[in-house]
Amino acid sequence: MEVIKLRDEYIKLGQALKAAGVVDSGVEAKLVIQDGLVKVNGQTETQRGKKLYAGDEAEYKNQTIKIEK
């Protein structure tokens, strides 16, 4: 599990995927999110700009990203 510490109140989903190193670029993040391959808190998410707050979890390719304050 990858943990991302928030610097602000939230981080956008695409940025979180890049920060966790599960995708190589913003373009790749956009594509995997649009294709419905990413889940946020157990639900498929297709909005790249979805705001993630402390306590949220994103999942892609069996890798979990936990958002913490």
Side-chain angles (χ1 to χ4, degrees):
M1 177 183 301
E2 191 72 34
V3 176
I4 296 178
K5 298 274 188 188
L6 289 175
R7 285 187 236 144
D8 298 312
E9 186 180 342
Y10 64 87
I11 186 170
K12 292 183 180 178
L13 179 56
Q15 293 171 331
L17 293 177
K18 274 180 39 180
V22 297
V23 295
D24 295 326
S25 68
V27 172
E28 183 181 356
K30 176 182 176 182
L31 295 174
V32 300
I33 294 166
Q34 284 180 342
D35 288 347
L37 302 176
V38 178
K39 290 186 178 184
V40 174
N41 299 326
Q43 300 292 321
T44 300
E45 183 57 61
T46 57
Q47 296 179 41
R48 178 173 57 153
K50 169 77 174 169
K51 294 176 182 176
L52 303 180
Y53 297 90
D56 285 340
E57 289 188 359
E59 185 179 331
Y60 172 61
K61 284 191 172 179
N62 295 320
Q63 295 183 359
T64 302
I65 304 162
K66 185 172 174 80
I67 310 300
E68 292 184 351
K69 193 75 175 157

